[in-house]
Amino acid sequence: MRFDLLSGKPLRIIAGVILLFNGFFPALWIVFTSLKTESELRVTPIHYLPTDPTLANYVRAFTNQPLLLYLFNSLFIAVCSTALTLFVATLAAYALARLRLRFRGLILSVIIAVSTFPLVTLLVPLFQMMRSLGLLNSYLALILPYTVLSVPVCTLVLVSFFDGIPRDLESAAMVDGCTRIGALFKIVVPLSAPGVFTAGILAFVNAWDEFLLALSLNSSPTFRTLPVGITLYQGEFTFPWPTISAALVVGIVPVAILIMIFQERVVSGLTTGGIKG
């Protein structure tokens, strides 16, 4: 009799609980901390739930630092880089999926290799490039690098979807007078909607969370993004964790809403892309 330990329902339930705890506990801890006072945070033994919840930390998060400006900068940069990433990745993925390239496998291998480069190794060249172009302390200083960093992964995601779409659909569209680019954006892209949404979410989250380039390329307060701005709440000898946690919650909300809205499409894109790949 064949016995597969991993197929047991109890083990799957335990694994699910562990994953759920690992994913939600840090977020819940930040939310609870944002509702506590400084004195309650220092109480021993630890109170996991706030005994006297307060929203004063959220008020301080918006008044101690220009949090709305940081949110706008992060949102503008993330949206622009995501749109540019999807446009470039769509064209690249379509070329790899449809054109009979002689070194297609090698190109895909290079794309995978490039996507694994540590960001710190690219910091100095990117800084020198942006300085020579006069783009330091501007939105483009982050939009362009974020696009370059997200294109490889998004291209790989889209290639697997474009490969699964019959070529006859494009041929029929072109017979009716549609150009190849028109067939791409009117036929292929809509049919690959789960993959496009998945690639878009990956690019958006990458731009929204990035810290190192945002700190190095934009030193002007006018162009600071949310991850950099949150670090400014701490003083030389003080760490106002409740206020910092409130700012973190504000930063988590947009991404959480985005994931909730497109949850089904993202899950479909990840599973379908994994099966096809």
Side-chain angles (χ1 to χ4, degrees):
M1 181 177 66
R2 185 175 179 270
F3 179 74
D4 189 353
L5 184 63
L6 295 179
S7 65
K9 188 175 181 180
L11 287 181
R12 282 182 287 177
I13 295 176
I14 294 173
V17 170
I18 292 174
L19 290 175
L20 186 67
F21 180 82
N22 182 66
F24 280 94
F25 180 76
L28 290 176
W29 182 257
I30 292 174
V31 173
F32 292 154
T33 302
S34 70
L35 298 174
K36 295 179 181 179
T37 61
E38 289 280 354
S39 57
E40 185 179 358
L41 197 62
R42 299 190 183 96
V43 171
T44 53
I46 297 175
H47 292 171
Y48 292 96
L49 298 177
T51 56
D52 188 17
T54 177
L55 296 177
N57 297 314
Y58 289 89
V59 176
R60 282 191 288 269
F62 282 94
T63 56
N64 291 0
Q65 295 289 338
L67 188 59
L68 283 176
L69 176 63
Y70 301 154
L71 282 169
F72 172 79
N73 290 341
S74 290
L75 185 62
F76 181 78
I77 291 171
V79 169
C80 290
S81 64
T82 299
L84 189 57
T85 296
L86 288 179
F87 179 75
V88 176
T90 297
L91 296 179
Y94 185 74
L96 290 170
R98 289 293 186 262
L99 301 182
R100 295 182 178 179
L101 300 176
R102 183 177 181 183
F103 301 104
R104 182 178 186 270
L106 178 61
I107 294 174
L108 289 174
S109 299
V110 171
I111 292 175
I112 295 173
V114 169
S115 64
T116 62
F117 282 3
L119 183 57
V120 67
T121 62
L122 306 175
L123 179 59
V124 174
L126 284 174
F127 182 86
Q128 292 178 343
M129 183 182 299
M130 293 301 159
R131 183 174 60 182
S132 63
L133 294 174
L135 295 179
L136 291 178
N137 293 319
S138 68
Y139 291 124
L140 285 177
L142 295 179
I143 292 174
L144 296 179
Y146 290 168
T147 300
V148 173
L149 293 173
S150 298
V151 162
V153 174
C154 293
T155 301
L156 292 174
V157 171
L158 293 176
V159 165
S160 64
F161 279 87
F162 292 173
D163 278 336
I165 296 176
R167 298 173 183 262
D168 295 342
L169 296 176
E170 301 161 65
S171 300
M174 287 187 283
V175 168
D176 291 337
C178 193
T179 63
R180 182 173 287 274
I181 295 296
L184 167 62
F185 288 103
K186 293 180 180 179
I187 304 297
V188 178
V189 171
L191 291 176
S192 304
V196 174
F197 277 103
T198 301
I201 293 295
L202 292 175
F204 184 89
V205 172
N206 177 63
W208 183 266
D209 293 340
E210 202 282 324
F211 176 79
L212 184 59
L213 293 181
L215 177 66
S216 304
L217 301 181
N218 279 351
S219 59
S220 171
T222 306
F223 299 102
R224 280 184 184 139
T225 58
L226 187 63
V228 177
I230 289 176
T231 63
L232 301 177
Y233 284 95
Q234 68 183 50
E236 186 177 359
F237 302 106
T238 59
F239 290 87
W241 291 117
T243 305
I244 294 175
S245 297
L248 287 172
V249 171
V250 173
I252 292 172
V253 167
V255 177
I257 293 176
L258 194 65
I259 296 296
M260 290 174 61
I261 293 174
F262 300 111
Q263 177 184 3
E264 292 184 4
R265 290 185 177 271
V266 172
V267 172
S268 174
L270 290 174
T271 53
T272 306
I275 293 173
K276 291 180 180 178

